[in-house]
Amino acid sequence: MDFQVINEETIMIYFEDEIDPKTYDKVQLLVNYIHKQQHEAIVETVASYRAVMLIIDMAVSTPQTVLESLDITEAQLENMAEEKTSKRVIHLPVLYGDEYGPDIEAVAEHNQLSTDEVIRLHTENQYLIYMLGFMPGFPFLGGLDERLHTPRRSEPRTKLEAGSVGIANNQTGLYPSASPGGWQIIGRTPVKVLNMDQDPMVIYQPGDYIKFYEIDQETYDEIVSAQQNGEQVMEKWVKVSHEH
């Protein structure tokens, strides 16, 4: 770990400079450790791929004093790692191709695959949610098969529909709300993953995994209709499993 006091109210704690699940596990363990301390001077904790940012209330303490009181060591995190036994996997339905995935053929062509192979490879892996950004609920996912790596579109679209699932370079992700975007869109989930009126607002959190599964047009329409009628879709179509 590398500790850096950025200014009078910000501390950065860095791990290895890489996008890797083992590094991210350390980030999550550190976040959990800090939350357990309930330090009165820590206003906010923000995690990313390989770092944790602490926002400090200057009226309560200083960054250096906070670091000393937290007394964080690699050994403490290793001990906490032994207690971590399972991961939460969110299974999301996706309708691939056609108007829902207008770039799936471009992804297939770039990687010399068929569209069926793109779907198969995309639905095989579980994707770790490293962080949420650039918009509420947007998951940056790691674990995309190298055979699907595809550059962003040269010309971003002015509007992508909510639920659009895409690929950009070595990552996959989904747009919780309608938005401009330059990712290669290969499908769309009908599930409303973001709801401002519920707590939590997003059905997944950093540290969870997402696993996509393919559905047909009839199932897509059924899920959309159910949500429009105010029905709950989580239990039937969004499976949540806990795996070791």
Side-chain angles (χ1 to χ4, degrees):
M1 285 186 292
D2 179 25
F3 303 91
Q4 294 187 18
V5 176
I6 305 300
N7 54 43
E8 62 271 19
E9 61 178 12
T10 308
I11 300 169
M12 291 296 299
I13 306 173
Y14 297 99
F15 291 95
E16 293 83 355
D17 188 9
E18 60 185 1
I19 299 178
D20 183 84
K22 292 181 180 179
T23 299
Y24 188 72
D25 280 346
K26 295 179 183 179
V27 169
Q28 287 298 298
L29 287 169
L30 176 58
V31 169
N32 292 337
Y33 174 84
I34 291 171
H35 285 168
K36 287 181 179 180
Q37 306 311 305
Q38 297 183 328
H39 199 294
E40 60 180 358
I42 299 177
V43 177
E44 187 176 4
T45 305
V46 182
S48 68
Y49 291 96
R50 42 90 52 160
V52 177
M53 179 173 68
L54 304 181
I55 307 300
I56 307 302
D57 184 347
M58 294 183 297
V60 177
S61 187
T62 66
Q64 194 59 48
T65 302
V66 169
L67 277 179
E68 292 173 358
S69 62
L70 287 175
D71 190 28
I72 305 167
T73 66
E74 289 273 6
Q76 288 169 321
L77 297 184
E78 290 174 3
N79 290 336
M80 292 177 64
E82 295 177 359
E83 302 172 4
K84 188 176 180 180
T85 57
S86 66
K87 61 183 182 183
R88 197 169 78 121
V89 183
I90 314 297
H91 300 257
L92 281 179
V94 175
L95 179 55
Y96 288 91
D98 297 325
E99 63 181 288
Y100 303 94
D103 298 317
I104 194 168
E105 291 184 0
V107 172
E109 183 178 350
H110 177 79
N111 292 287
Q112 299 181 332
L113 300 168
S114 68
T115 55
D116 285 343
E117 287 173 319
V118 170
I119 296 169
R120 178 181 62 79
L121 292 172
H122 194 256
T123 54
E124 278 184 349
N125 285 358
Q126 295 178 353
Y127 302 103
L128 172 62
I129 304 176
Y130 281 93
M131 59 187 294
L132 301 182
F134 64 102
M135 62 189 298
F138 188 101
F140 285 92
L141 306 175
L144 182 66
D145 193 298
E146 290 184 1
R147 290 169 287 181
L148 294 178
H149 291 186
T150 309
R152 294 169 180 263
R153 287 175 52 86
S154 57
E155 294 185 11
R157 291 186 173 89
T158 56
K159 182 182 178 182
L160 296 175
E161 297 297 329
S164 293
V165 176
I167 289 173
N169 301 313
N170 63 341
Q171 290 189 281
T172 186
L174 70 91
Y175 289 79
S177 306
S179 167
W183 290 45
Q184 304 278 3
I185 303 304
I186 62 173
R188 189 188 308 166
T189 179
V191 175
K192 295 180 179 179
V193 299
L194 173 69
N195 186 340
M196 297 295 190
D197 297 323
Q198 68 186 16
D199 186 22
M201 293 188 297
V202 187
I203 66 174
Y204 43 71
Q205 299 297 324
D208 290 341
Y209 287 76
I210 289 179
K211 191 175 195 304
F212 299 107
Y213 67 92
E214 184 182 13
I215 56 173
D216 57 20
Q217 183 72 61
E218 182 180 357
T219 303
Y220 183 97
D221 294 340
E222 186 179 355
I223 297 173
V224 170
S225 177
Q227 290 176 131
Q228 290 174 342
N229 295 329
E231 300 174 21
Q232 292 293 326
V233 302
M234 289 291 293
E235 185 173 340
K236 185 175 181 179
W237 286 290
V238 183
K239 305 297 183 183
V240 180
S241 61
H242 295 268
E243 303 178 9
H244 293 280

